[in-house]
């Protein structure tokens, strides 16, 4: 490999949420804690990004930032080249992150008291974003099928048919189950949504983190019907490990929706990027494609290592199939204890921090945990050895 993802990076003491935040209020600092919880990676960003940020920092003045045309061109060219999705310049609205973009979309496209449909279990910020905008979360539970998950189409349609349902908030690829939705599935989602006049907001932040044998399909590129009935949220932040640079995009083909989205961006005061966000995005999309391809190979190696290790050493766990993201979803129901009890035990005895499935749905997440494998393989192996030692 051209890039060294095995290099151990010490992130402690850098103001890092993943490594420096305490797992519990009042808990003493655990010096040998291995955090496999929040979704960021322990790898250095691609060299082109580091160089772009370095050059910008050397200028020494960090005032208000104008987003230049090069930014828009980088976004358009990346998605055309990599995903065969033609985005028009006027369709792009920038903001500080995908979660703020999600809140913007909910505010712009709903009225308080309406319902927003999600596929549960789902990313925990979906719940808070919907509720913070005065709407009700409406869940349709994904069906476990073998080592993966499928949409319950009958229930999905019944929930769309609810007259108070106005938006379907999609996670594509799906966090936490690791599904990469197919073109046929996305088309069927939109057909049902159109039938009941439900708008689709698709969070596609994990779109570059795709495992072998799978292909990411942008929702808006499925068909013109999908393009006209959707708002897409994306960013290089998750894939290129630059969340702290804070740059994301809302892409919408509908002029009236876009006007409302732009208004909501300004109401929420998430309309200004810092000086490093645009240069980081441009370097990611224009100069770092080989880096993301090697990253996905490394992550796949971590996943296969995790799956094989658990199969041999923790047979009471069942690792779900990972199609995208770096967040394996693990069924621990055979242990006969709650996911929270297990997480507490792993934290206190193994000094490994993982997330209980109920973070992503109080019912649909029951009996699962979520792991973050975007770390050096030696560190992942150490964490798994600790876990196995405790559970044995």
């Amino acid at each position: 490999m051209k890039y060294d993802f095995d290099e151990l990076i010490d992130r402690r003491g850098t103001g890092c949420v993943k490594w420096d935040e305490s797992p519990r209020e009042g808990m003493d600092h655990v010096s040998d804690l291995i955090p496999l919880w929040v979704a960021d990676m322990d790898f250095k960003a691609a060299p082109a990004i580091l160089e772009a940020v370095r050059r910008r920092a050397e200028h020494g003045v960090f005032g208000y930032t104008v987003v230049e045309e090069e930014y828009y061109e980088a976004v358009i060219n990346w998605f055309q080249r990599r995903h065969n999705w033609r985005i028009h310049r006027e369709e792009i609205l920038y903001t500080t992150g995908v979660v703020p973009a999600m809140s913007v979309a909910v505010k712009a496209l709903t009225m308080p008291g309406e319902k927003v449909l999600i596929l549960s279990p789902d990313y925990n910020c979906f719940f808070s974003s919907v509720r913070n905008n005065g709407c009700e979360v409406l869940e349709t539970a994904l069906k476990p099928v073998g080592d993966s998950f499928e949409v319950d189409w009958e229930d999905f349609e019944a929930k769309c048919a609810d007259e108070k349902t106005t938006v379907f908030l999609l996670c594509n690829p799906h966090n936490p189950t690791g599904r990469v939705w197919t073109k046929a599935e996305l088309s069927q989602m939109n057909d049902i949504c159109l039938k009941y006049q439900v708008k689709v907001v698709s969070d596609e932040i994990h779109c570059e983190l795709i495992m072998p044998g799978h292909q990411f399909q942008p929702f808006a590129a499925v068909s013109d019907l999908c393009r006209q009935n959707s708002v897409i949220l994306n960013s290089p932040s998750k894939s290129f490990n630059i969340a702290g640079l804070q740059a994301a995009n809302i892409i919408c083909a509908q002029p009236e929706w876009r006007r409302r989205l732009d208004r909501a961006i300004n109401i929420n005061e998430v309309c200004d990027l810092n000086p490093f966000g645009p240069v980081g995005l441009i370097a990611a999309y224009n100069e770092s494609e080989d880096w993301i391809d090697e990253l996905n190979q490394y992550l796949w190696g971590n996943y296969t290592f995790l799956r094989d290790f658990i199969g041999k050493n923790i047979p009471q766990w069942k690792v779900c199939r990972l199609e995208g993201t770096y967040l394996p979803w693990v069924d621990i129901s055979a242990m006969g204890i709650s996911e929270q009890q297990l997480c507490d035990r792993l934290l206190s005895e193994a000094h490994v921090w993982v997330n209980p499935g109920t973070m992503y749905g109080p019912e649909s997440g029951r009996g699962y945990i979520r792991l973050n494998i975007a770390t050096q393989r030696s560190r992942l192996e150490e964490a798994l050895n600790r876990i196995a030692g405790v559970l044995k």
Side-chain angles (χ1 to χ4, degrees):
M1 276 193 173
K2 178 180 176 181
Y3 303 103
D4 183 10
F5 295 104
D6 285 318
E7 179 188 1
L8 289 171
I9 311 295
D10 185 3
R11 301 181 66 191
R12 291 186 177 90
T14 62
C16 168
V17 168
K18 185 177 183 180
W19 285 85
D20 290 333
E21 187 169 298
S22 175
R24 294 191 193 127
E25 187 176 351
M27 183 178 182
D28 292 335
H29 179 67
V30 180
S31 61
D32 66 341
L33 180 69
I34 299 179
L36 303 180
W37 65 293
V38 69
D40 77 359
M41 301 190 283
D42 291 326
F43 312 121
K44 284 184 180 178
I49 298 172
L50 299 178
E51 175 61 19
V53 170
R54 183 193 64 77
R55 287 197 306 267
R56 182 64 187 85
E58 284 181 350
H59 181 267
V61 180
F62 312 116
Y64 297 115
T65 299
V66 172
V67 176
E68 306 281 3
E69 283 304 309
E70 187 181 5
Y71 176 99
Y72 298 99
E73 291 169 3
V75 174
I76 290 167
N77 291 338
W78 175 268
F79 284 98
Q80 177 69 54
R81 180 176 73 251
R82 195 164 176 93
H83 302 297
N84 197 31
W85 175 24
R86 176 60 179 168
I87 300 171
H88 300 287
R89 162 66 178 81
E90 67 273 11
E91 295 174 350
I92 304 173
L93 301 170
Y94 61 79
T95 185
T96 55
V98 163
V99 172
M102 187 187 312
S103 293
V104 161
V106 174
K107 178 182 286 292
L109 301 179
T110 67
M111 295 290 289
E114 292 180 343
K115 296 179 181 180
V116 175
L117 179 63
I118 68 169
L119 301 173
S120 65
D122 221 332
Y123 177 41
N124 50 297
C125 285
F126 279 29
F127 293 86
S128 56
S129 179
V130 170
R131 290 167 180 157
N132 288 345
N133 283 282
C135 292
E136 179 183 340
V137 176
L138 185 61
E139 300 177 56
T140 179
L142 293 170
K143 298 189 300 184
V145 178
D147 62 350
S148 189
F149 293 83
E150 294 180 358
V151 176
D152 182 337
W153 294 109
E154 184 178 348
D155 188 64
F156 181 86
E157 180 160 3
K159 298 292 173 57
C160 285
D162 186 324
E163 63 180 10
K164 293 183 70 177
T165 303
T166 53
V167 165
F168 166 44
L169 186 53
L170 170 65
C171 197
N172 175 37
H174 191 259
N175 171 18
T177 67
R179 274 300 317 274
V180 173
W181 303 114
T182 66
K183 187 174 183 177
E185 287 173 315
L186 296 172
S187 182
Q188 188 168 353
M189 291 173 189
N190 193 59
D191 288 345
I192 295 170
C193 287
L194 283 174
K195 182 178 179 180
Y196 299 102
Q197 298 182 316
V198 174
K199 303 175 183 69
V200 179
V201 176
S202 184
D203 170 5
E204 301 186 353
I205 195 172
H206 291 97
C207 67
E208 307 306 335
L209 299 164
I210 306 299
M211 298 300 100
H214 300 280
Q215 182 176 354
F216 167 69
Q217 172 63 57
F219 186 90
V222 171
S223 66
D224 191 58
L225 288 174
C226 287
R227 178 173 171 265
Q228 295 296 331
N229 191 45
S230 64
V231 173
I232 310 301
L233 319 176
N234 62 34
S235 170
S237 61
K238 199 69 69 178
S239 302
F240 291 92
N241 206 31
I242 53 173
L245 300 188
Q246 296 191 319
N249 297 296
I250 302 172
I251 300 167
C252 178
Q254 287 275 14
E256 174 55 23
W257 296 4
R258 204 161 56 238
R259 184 193 67 78
R260 289 154 61 182
L261 289 162
D262 189 44
R263 178 63 180 151
I265 288 172
N266 285 274
I267 290 172
N268 286 6
E269 301 291 358
V270 287
C271 48
D272 294 314
L273 301 188
N274 70 66
F276 300 104
V279 298
L281 178 145
I282 292 166
Y285 285 160
N286 287 356
E287 303 178 69
S288 306
E289 193 162 0
D290 61 340
W291 185 91
I292 198 74
D293 289 338
E294 285 198 10
L295 170 69
N296 280 328
Q297 292 179 42
Y298 191 85
L299 293 174
W300 177 248
N302 274 4
Y303 171 70
T304 57
F305 176 82
L306 170 91
R307 186 188 58 200
D308 294 345
F309 183 98
I310 288 177
K312 294 174 183 175
N313 299 282
I314 317 174
Q316 61 269 49
W317 287 12
K318 176 184 174 184
V319 182
C320 297
R321 183 168 73 240
L322 188 69
E323 299 176 355
T325 81
Y326 48 71
L327 303 165
W329 190 237
V330 181
D331 182 346
I332 56 93
S333 58
M335 294 192 66
I337 62 173
S338 76
E339 60 290 325
Q340 187 62 61
Q341 288 174 313
L342 176 64
C343 291
D344 290 344
R345 186 177 177 194
L346 296 183
L347 182 60
S348 61
E349 298 181 35
H351 295 174
V352 176
W353 186 0
V354 302
N355 285 345
T358 46
M359 280 186 64
Y360 311 100
E363 295 301 326
S364 56
R366 196 177 303 280
Y368 292 90
I369 60 171
R370 194 192 77 169
L371 305 175
N372 177 350
I373 59 170
T375 191
Q376 291 72 27
R377 197 159 303 152
S378 60
R379 188 174 278 149
L380 177 62
E381 183 176 11
E382 169 65 19
L384 292 173
N385 278 323
R386 290 189 197 179
I387 291 170
V390 166
L391 298 184
K392 285 179 180 177

